[in-house]
């Protein structure tokens, strides 16, 4: 029996196939059968970089965003305990405003929040959070091994956009709109999302 393909890539492949069709999924996922849970992190990140280049070349932007957001929805389900803990913290406060003030004062590790009116900015700060500093630029296992000199298309980070959306929808108990502003793996110092309250 052979070694199984990396589970996160199986989920990505399903999303690509669902929104762009089997032919495009086959092209985007080319070589993924060689990537397993035990593959070197740098090799995984380099494969993902290539996959995003193929996705960018083969699929329109709206569809790419939908594909990767759905990958983020899957990630939110896999990491639902993080969301459940945030929901439990929210219930300790009488209002959303009180909760957001508390979260700004003491954000989850590796993140920070800033509020401007009805927009909450969430930052992922993996370069500051990891030891030694700057070791990784993304919390996602698929790209945490990306060499410092490399960048990945911001298309990939719509996965995080999907996660952030599900996170805040669960916490606020209503739909939210999220904008992906910048990404550490595509060249910024930190990732930034705008959550429209």
């Amino acid at each position: 029996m052979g070694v199984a393909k990396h589970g996160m890539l199986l989920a990505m492949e399903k999303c690509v196939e669902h929104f762009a069709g089997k032919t495009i999924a086959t092209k985007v996922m080319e070589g993924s059968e060689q990537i397993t849970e035990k593959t070197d992190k740098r090799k995984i990140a380099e494969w993902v970089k290539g996959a995003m280049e193929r996705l960018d070349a083969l699929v329109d932007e709206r569809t790419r965003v939908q594909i990767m957001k759905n990958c983020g929805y899957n990630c939110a389900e896999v990491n639902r305990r993080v969301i459940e803990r945030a929901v439990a913290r929210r219930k300790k406060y009488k209002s959303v405003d009180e909760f957001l003030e508390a979260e700004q004062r003491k954000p989850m590790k590796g993140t920070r929040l800033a509020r401007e009116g009805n927009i909450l900015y969430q930052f992922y700060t993996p370069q500051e959070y990891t030891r030694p500093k700057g070791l990784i630029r993304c919390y996602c296992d698929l790209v945490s091994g990306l060499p410092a000199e490399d960048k990945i298309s911001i298309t990939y980070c719509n996965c995080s956009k999907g996660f952030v959306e599900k996170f805040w929808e669960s916490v606020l108990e209503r739909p939210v709109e999220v904008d992906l502003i910048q990404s550490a793996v595509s060249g910024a110092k930190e990732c930034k999302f705008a959550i429209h309250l």
Side-chain angles (χ1 to χ4, degrees):
M1 182 185 261
V3 180
K5 185 191 289 191
H6 197 295
M8 292 168 73
L9 297 185
L10 288 170
M12 182 188 295
E13 185 171 13
K14 286 180 183 175
C15 288
V16 177
E17 188 172 329
H18 178 78
F19 291 100
K22 178 94 172 143
T23 302
I24 287 176
T26 300
K27 291 176 182 176
V28 170
M29 302 305 293
E30 181 181 341
S32 63
E33 64 281 353
Q34 304 298 319
I35 307 294
T36 71
E37 306 284 343
K38 296 185 184 209
T39 300
D40 174 75
K41 287 191 178 290
R42 180 179 181 140
K43 185 176 178 183
I44 295 171
E46 289 170 346
W47 180 87
V48 171
K49 178 182 177 181
M52 290 303 105
E53 289 168 0
R54 293 187 293 277
L55 186 63
D56 285 349
L58 294 167
V59 179
D60 65 272
E61 182 180 8
R62 184 170 179 248
T63 305
R64 293 191 309 260
V65 169
Q66 195 63 44
I67 288 166
M68 295 312 298
K69 273 180 58 177
N70 274 267
C71 288
Y73 298 162
N74 291 337
C75 185
E77 181 58 32
V78 169
N79 294 288
R80 67 184 168 277
R81 285 191 299 270
V82 172
I83 297 172
E84 289 167 356
R85 286 193 295 269
V87 169
R89 287 194 309 275
R90 162 63 188 99
K91 290 180 179 179
K92 294 177 182 177
Y93 296 90
K94 292 178 183 176
S95 71
V96 169
D97 289 335
E98 286 179 17
F99 167 72
L100 292 176
E101 287 170 16
E103 290 290 297
Q104 286 175 79
R105 285 191 303 273
K106 189 177 179 187
M108 291 184 300
K109 289 182 180 181
T111 70
R112 66 185 175 85
L113 298 170
R115 185 172 180 184
E116 293 177 12
N118 287 331
I119 299 178
L120 179 69
Y121 293 99
Q122 180 167 351
F123 299 85
Y124 286 170
T125 57
Q127 291 183 29
E128 292 296 316
Y129 176 64
T130 55
R131 299 288 181 256
K133 282 191 177 184
L135 185 63
I136 65 168
R137 292 182 287 159
C138 186
Y139 295 123
C140 178
D141 277 347
L142 290 181
V143 294
S144 64
L146 186 71
E149 65 278 4
D150 283 1
K151 294 177 185 173
I152 289 179
S153 167
I154 200 164
T155 295
Y156 185 75
C157 302
N158 285 290
C159 181
S160 292
K161 176 181 176 176
F163 181 91
V164 168
E165 182 182 301
K166 288 296 180 188
F167 179 96
W168 286 104
E169 286 184 349
S170 296
V171 169
L172 300 174
E173 298 180 323
R174 62 178 172 76
V176 296
E177 182 182 331
V178 176
D179 296 323
L180 168 58
I181 309 293
Q182 64 186 32
S183 151
V185 292
S186 63
K189 184 181 175 200
E190 59 189 359
C191 305
K192 181 179 181 181
F193 303 89
I195 299 101
H196 298 267
L197 304 172

